[in-house]
Amino acid sequence: MAAFGTVFMPEMAISWFDGSSWSTPELVASDSLQLHPGAHVLHYSSTCFEGLKAFRHADGSVKIFRMDKNLDRFEQSSHLLALPPIDKNATREMIIDTVRRFAADVPEAPGSLYIRPTHIGTEAAIGKAAAPSLTSCQYILVSPVGDYFAGGVAALRVLIEDDGMRCATHMGMIKSGGNYASALLPIMKARAEVQADQILFCPNGDVQETGAANFLLIDDDEIITKALDESFLHGVTRDSVLTIARDMGMRISERDITVDELLERAAKPNCEAALSGTAAVLTPVGTFIHHGKEISIGNGGIGETTLKLRKALNDIQWGNSEDKYGWLTEV
């Protein structure tokens, strides 16, 4: 497969808000989006998006994972960015229609069809730096993707950043492009200087999230992760993993955790760390880099609990175990 998210199906669903109502959704060529160069999104970043997947099961059916949870967050992001309100039911049908249109192109497990709903402000008004776009557009891109770990699972190296923040605190719970852009240069610097794969942002010693994923610390039978607030993204994968872990009898502690506590726990032999997100589900972290020192997490390798949780979630997504949570939608 090509690099994740670089191959797109030739058509996308699209709908336009004219200031009073949404147009009837239609399928158009994926490269046919036209915007005025003064569009609000191009100057003031009035944009949000979602990331979810559709999976092909062994019986040939195609199921979308946790679409309703992603739609709730899409609606929330649009509201917090002062974009026109989406019609969740209409957006839901746009997603289903698009996946159904390309159902034959959904790869077999461990591949999937990545789904990217996007909402952008379209009003041509460069004088509205302090005012919202009254018009907007939403569209649904889909991209067939392969196994994220096709080259084999490897434990990541993560730089702990005590001072910097991924984004403005009140923007953290919004899935917006500007949040990712603000983390890019620090991540590139960390890769070049200390060969880190990611940065764990911990402003004032408060452990939050990395540039593109939520963070979980697994200490024996306990998962510790920051309690939901507006400073970081409320990950759907994070929620799914915590739900499964509770049912496995693990203790879930959603609370603040300091860098000092993080490093103290990381030294314990049964400790693990992982990053959660749509693309890789759970990615193991083997090494922290802090103030020039490298600290192994547990044995520095891939944790057994991380693998167990990832497999349990994959088994639901791929149809290998019962969907007792009602997370799958058939198209």
Side-chain angles (χ1 to χ4, degrees):
M1 298 291 291
F4 188 97
T6 60
V7 175
F8 299 97
M9 291 293 94
E11 294 176 319
M12 65 179 180
I14 194 167
S15 180
W16 301 83
F17 187 78
D18 63 7
S20 60
S21 62
W22 285 97
S23 67
T24 301
E26 57 182 333
L27 282 172
V28 301
S30 295
D31 60 357
S32 66
L33 182 64
Q34 293 187 350
L35 286 176
H36 191 284
H40 198 273
V41 63
L42 300 178
H43 299 268
Y44 306 119
S45 298
S46 50
T47 172
C48 59
F49 60 92
E50 276 302 318
L52 61 159
K53 286 178 175 178
F55 298 88
R56 180 177 301 284
H57 288 192
D59 63 3
S61 64
V62 173
K63 308 285 180 69
I64 302 172
F65 183 71
R66 303 209 72 178
M67 175 170 56
D68 291 339
K69 187 78 170 176
N70 281 274
L71 283 171
D72 287 344
R73 191 172 63 183
F74 196 40
E75 179 183 52
Q76 174 181 271
S77 292
S78 296
H79 169 71
L80 293 174
L81 287 172
L83 281 163
I86 66 167
D87 180 335
K88 278 202 299 185
N89 288 332
T91 305
R92 188 178 193 274
E93 290 306 310
M94 289 171 69
I95 293 172
I96 290 174
D97 288 346
T98 306
V99 174
R100 187 176 291 145
R101 168 74 176 83
F102 296 106
D105 298 287
V106 178
E108 295 184 359
S112 61
L113 187 72
Y114 185 83
I115 307 164
R116 176 53 64 92
T118 306
H119 189 192
I120 59 175
T122 57
E123 184 177 0
I126 58 174
K128 299 190 76 172
S133 175
L134 298 180
T135 63
S136 68
C137 171
Q138 63 171 323
Y139 55 87
I140 315 295
L141 282 173
V142 292
S143 171
V145 296
D147 182 5
Y148 193 85
F149 294 104
V153 183
L156 301 183
R157 293 165 51 84
V158 171
L159 174 68
I160 295 176
E161 173 56 72
D162 297 286
D163 301 315
M165 299 176 65
R166 176 177 180 259
C167 61
T169 300
H170 69 283
M171 287 287 289
M173 65 190 293
I174 305 172
K175 196 167 178 65
S176 182
N179 291 350
Y180 293 82
S182 67
L184 277 178
L185 198 59
I187 292 171
M188 292 171 62
K189 182 179 179 182
R191 286 173 180 162
E193 294 183 354
V194 296
Q195 294 74 56
D197 298 292
Q198 260 293 351
I199 292 178
L200 180 59
F201 291 96
C202 308
N204 300 315
D206 176 36
V207 177
Q208 294 187 346
E209 64 180 335
T210 67
N214 291 141
F215 175 78
L216 306 174
L217 184 69
I218 305 170
D219 187 351
D220 200 14
D221 67 343
E222 181 183 17
I223 296 181
I224 305 171
T225 185
K226 186 172 175 61
L228 297 179
D229 63 24
E230 64 180 11
S231 70
F232 73 105
L233 192 65
H234 301 180
V236 176
T237 302
R238 171 191 179 278
D239 180 79
S240 304
V241 169
L242 295 184
T243 299
I244 290 171
R246 283 190 186 96
D247 279 0
M248 288 181 171
M250 296 188 69
R251 292 181 294 140
I252 308 300
S253 298
E254 295 185 78
R255 61 172 175 81
D256 289 346
I257 179 171
T258 65
V259 170
D260 287 343
E261 180 184 356
L262 177 68
L263 296 179
E264 180 182 346
R265 287 180 178 268
K268 298 167 67 174
N270 291 328
C271 192
E272 303 174 27
L275 307 184
S276 67
T278 300
V281 186
L282 271 183
T283 306
V285 179
T287 304
F288 288 136
I289 305 162
H290 185 241
H291 294 171
K293 297 181 180 179
E294 296 195 6
I295 301 108
S296 292
I297 304 162
N299 62 15
I302 300 166
E304 292 182 5
T305 303
T306 298
L307 292 178
K308 180 175 70 173
L309 289 169
R310 195 181 82 212
K311 181 180 185 302
L313 182 50
N314 280 154
D315 281 346
I316 295 173
Q317 293 171 329
W318 299 339
N320 296 331
S321 63
E322 179 190 359
D323 174 27
K324 62 181 181 180
Y325 308 107
W327 286 343
L328 300 174
T329 301
E330 187 165 3
V331 301

